[in-house]
Amino acid sequence: MTGIAGPIARELRGPTAPLMREWTRFSPRQRLARYTVWLAIVAALVWSVRSIEIIPEFLWDAPEQMADLLVRMWPPDLRYYPDAVHAALIETIHIATLGTILSFGMAVPLALLASRVITPFAVLNGFAQLLLVASRSVNTLVWALVFVAVFGPGAAAGVMAVAFRSIGFVGKLLAEALDETASGPVEALRAAGAPWGSVVLKGYWPQVQPAFWGIALFRWDINVRESAVLGLVGAGGIGVVLDDALNFFQWDKAATVLLAIFAVVIVAEIFVTRVRARLI
Amino acid sequence: MSGAEAARRAFAPNWQGRAALAALAIYSVYAASQLDIGLERIWHGFSEAGAFLGRMVPPNFTRWQLLLDGMLESLQIAFISSAVGIVLSLPIALLAARNLMPWWVSAPARAFIGFCRSLHYVIVAILFVKAIGFGVLAGICALVVASIGFISKLFAEAIEEISPKQVEAVRATGAGFAAVLLYGVLPQVASRFVGFCIYQIDSNLRNSTMVGIVGAGGIGGTLFAAFKRFDYDFVAAILLVIIALIFAAELVATRVRAALR
């Protein structure tokens, strides 16, 4: 963007005109927008700091209290692992995996509906997009609260919560992958008189397959992390054990649970990286 | 390969794929039985869901004062934790970038970032609640940890991808370390840093509505209490407001991104 300052405006007509221009990075309007953003950020911060209710004593001795907690947690008592933690850990992994599989069962039809190239009806596209956005805008923990209210406490609620939160994520990415496919193979199949099912299976599927596995692994990794906290609202898994340990002040047991979660998250990440390198 | 053979291969049944699908189906049945999820339970649940949804409408906004207080507290948590998190993650990311620092500085910094990332923010929030008591401070601390984990990891990666030419040019003029950082490194990554920050502010806003479930302040506590007391019409009101906030935040984020471009 260029702005032309007043005093040199007279020089504009000569051959040196381009040299006399004053070059600025932003137009006045852009500058105003930037200042507004910064001002809004500062105002929001000042308001937050002035009106938030923090007890100063809590703030000052926070480091001390944290250190105290860590001392009480150390060393973790691994004797709890075989009979209290292990089963819950396996349950967490089952919840994450089953939830991911279930979410794909529901997300694939929605992605087919949401993709413009597969479903040429704008109304259906919009409807599917709306369902996907609704699924994404509700947090996993809220879905878990809802399904605990519906199914009662337990792993079933956790599986449903993981599945319903994942639908939006998986469906959105799959629909985008479908929209980006090349039309050549599809048109060739259509020209040969292939029915709709064959067009999808042999025209679209091979093109979105890498994206599909990538999305599945990525979401499974996220779900393993998220299913560890579902137990805090009663939706099964290792979170239940953590919650109990914390409520009974069994710090060494809580530390064992945290170590187990830590280990599973890292193992899942390594697994996903390995499989992705091999598949894609 | 003759044409006919190629044509036959192109549409041959994919036995490997079918076997994988079958294995997945068998696993699903096994896992469902392990988790004690049966068809009749699901069926029963969905008939309950009807009654549950029926109690959610119409949303009840009569306790709007409580709702507003909770939302404002969530906003405060989000703003403060984002600000502190951004300020802290800038130096940590610089320390963790392997092309700026020797390994004995970057390795501990990377380990610290990995530690911040590994635990879910709600678990971190619980630990802070247990250590420093109920309230917004625990929520702020938890989200600061999450922000450091996200921003400094991506920012350190961005710094590692910069072109070394400009850094060398600045260094060749005899500039000190600070000047190299300011004129050689940061201009190359500033816009990406702003992008990461906006993304993290957005997710801090979402997460600040959730940390209250474990007692770390914000609307989450009100939501959890309403669930426990079966006030499902109030639950519906809270959820609607949270979703509206998330949508509004996304709109603002798009605008801000355009303004700061």
Side-chain angles (χ1 to χ4, degrees):
Chain A
M1 260 296 158
T2 58
I4 299 163
I8 35 175
R10 261 172 277 119
E11 310 263 346
L12 268 181
R13 275 166 212 94
T16 56
L19 296 177
M20 303 306 286
R21 274 192 201 157
E22 187 185 329
W23 293 85
T24 53
R25 191 168 164 202
F26 300 108
S27 70
R29 215 178 136 180
Q30 282 174 322
R31 214 174 295 144
L32 186 70
R34 290 169 72 86
Y35 282 134
T36 320
V37 167
W38 290 118
L39 194 70
I41 291 174
V42 172
L45 260 184
V46 170
W47 165 74
S48 306
V49 172
R50 287 179 64 116
S51 59
I52 201 160
E53 285 160 18
I54 289 182
I55 304 165
E57 286 78 22
F58 276 29
L59 183 58
W60 303 137
D61 71 352
E64 203 181 308
Q65 297 288 347
M66 279 310 287
D68 185 43
L69 183 75
L70 290 182
V71 167
R72 272 182 282 168
M73 278 188 164
W74 194 261
D77 192 345
L78 294 180
R79 271 173 308 164
Y80 287 110
Y81 184 80
D83 44 286
V85 182
H86 183 74
L89 198 63
I90 299 297
E91 189 178 78
T92 302
I93 295 172
H94 280 326
I95 289 175
T97 316
L98 207 54
T100 314
I101 294 173
L102 193 61
S103 81
F104 269 84
M106 294 182 278
V108 169
L110 276 178
L112 290 176
L113 271 184
S115 158
R116 271 172 290 113
V117 295
I118 294 205
T119 312
F121 303 106
V123 183
L124 285 178
N125 295 157
F127 177 67
Q129 288 285 2
L130 187 72
L131 289 184
L132 294 180
V133 169
S135 150
R136 255 181 302 147
S137 55
V138 177
N139 195 296
T140 313
L141 276 173
V142 176
W143 278 120
L145 283 169
V146 168
F147 283 111
V148 166
V150 170
F151 287 112
V159 171
M160 296 305 272
V162 166
F164 271 74
R165 173 64 178 79
S166 307
I167 290 174
F169 181 91
V170 171
K172 178 183 183 239
L173 293 181
L174 262 187
E176 278 170 8
L178 282 170
D179 279 340
E180 282 164 14
T181 47
S183 57
V186 177
E187 275 165 23
L189 279 164
R190 281 217 184 103
W196 185 83
S198 303
V199 172
V200 170
L201 259 183
K202 301 293 179 188
Y204 289 109
W205 168 244
Q207 296 194 54
V208 294
Q209 200 181 9
F212 182 88
W213 296 118
I215 297 166
L217 287 170
F218 187 31
R219 191 64 218 181
W220 180 76
D221 189 26
I222 298 176
N223 285 343
V224 169
R225 286 159 194 260
E226 299 222 312
S227 56
V229 298
L230 292 175
L232 301 174
V233 295
I238 200 162
V240 180
V241 184
L242 180 65
D243 200 32
D244 288 346
L246 288 172
N247 286 337
F248 290 117
F249 304 108
Q250 294 170 314
W251 301 110
D252 47 357
K253 187 175 178 183
T256 312
V257 174
L258 288 178
L259 267 186
I261 295 175
F262 194 70
V264 159
V265 165
I266 289 174
V267 168
E269 199 164 323
I270 293 172
F271 173 76
V272 163
T273 322
R274 283 273 172 85
V275 175
R276 179 173 295 152
R278 189 179 264 197
L279 272 181
I280 299 163
Chain B
M1 197 193 294
S2 74
E5 201 183 332
R8 214 180 305 130
R9 279 226 186 133
F11 295 100
N14 180 356
W15 290 111
Q16 221 180 345
R18 288 183 191 183
L21 265 185
L24 217 56
I26 292 170
Y27 167 79
S28 304
V29 172
Y30 164 75
S33 71
Q34 287 285 304
L35 297 182
D36 200 18
I37 303 174
L39 271 183
E40 93 265 24
R41 186 163 179 199
I42 304 264
W43 194 244
H44 182 69
F46 276 112
S47 58
E48 286 286 300
F52 174 74
L53 283 178
R55 289 178 65 180
M56 277 182 118
V57 281
N60 179 357
F61 284 96
T62 47
R63 272 176 285 166
W64 60 272
Q65 188 68 49
L66 201 62
L67 181 57
L68 186 69
D69 284 348
M71 286 311 285
L72 288 181
E73 202 170 76
S74 280
L75 277 179
Q76 290 165 342
I77 294 175
F79 288 152
I80 296 181
S81 62
S82 303
V84 178
I86 289 169
V87 168
L88 288 180
S89 46
L90 189 63
I92 294 175
L94 290 173
L95 289 180
R98 276 172 295 194
N99 54 350
L100 290 183
M101 294 287 162
W103 65 269
W104 46 270
V105 176
S106 69
R110 296 172 73 80
F112 177 71
I113 294 173
F115 180 71
C116 287
R117 268 166 50 77
S118 63
L119 286 179
H120 195 270
Y121 65 94
V122 173
I123 294 180
V124 180
I126 286 196
L127 293 181
F128 276 111
V129 166
K130 296 294 168 187
I132 58 185
F134 287 94
V136 285
L137 187 59
I140 291 175
C141 292
L143 293 185
V144 164
V145 169
S147 307
I148 292 176
F150 180 83
I151 300 178
S152 24
K153 172 169 192 271
L154 291 182
F155 191 47
E157 278 170 9
I159 295 174
E160 284 174 1
E161 284 164 15
I162 60 171
S163 129
K165 292 177 187 166
Q166 299 169 38
V167 179
E168 275 165 27
V170 176
R171 202 172 277 152
T173 63
F177 183 71
V180 170
L181 265 192
L182 263 180
Y183 298 104
V185 177
L186 290 183
Q188 295 193 51
V189 284
S191 65
R192 296 190 68 187
F193 183 67
V194 171
F196 300 146
C197 290
I198 293 177
Y199 183 88
Q200 184 61 33
I201 293 172
D202 197 32
S203 57
N204 278 350
L205 262 179
R206 289 157 186 257
N207 297 347
S208 70
T209 59
M210 285 299 116
V211 287
I213 287 181
V214 293
I219 189 76
T222 322
L223 179 68
F224 197 32
F227 257 108
K228 280 204 240 167
R229 287 184 310 191
F230 308 109
D231 280 344
Y232 292 137
D233 47 356
F234 190 41
V235 164
I238 298 175
L239 288 183
L240 282 180
V241 174
I242 290 179
I243 292 173
L245 174 82
I246 290 170
F247 270 100
E250 219 151 87
L251 286 182
V252 172
T254 321
R255 283 290 179 84
V256 167
R257 215 168 275 145
L260 290 185
R261 193 181 38 199

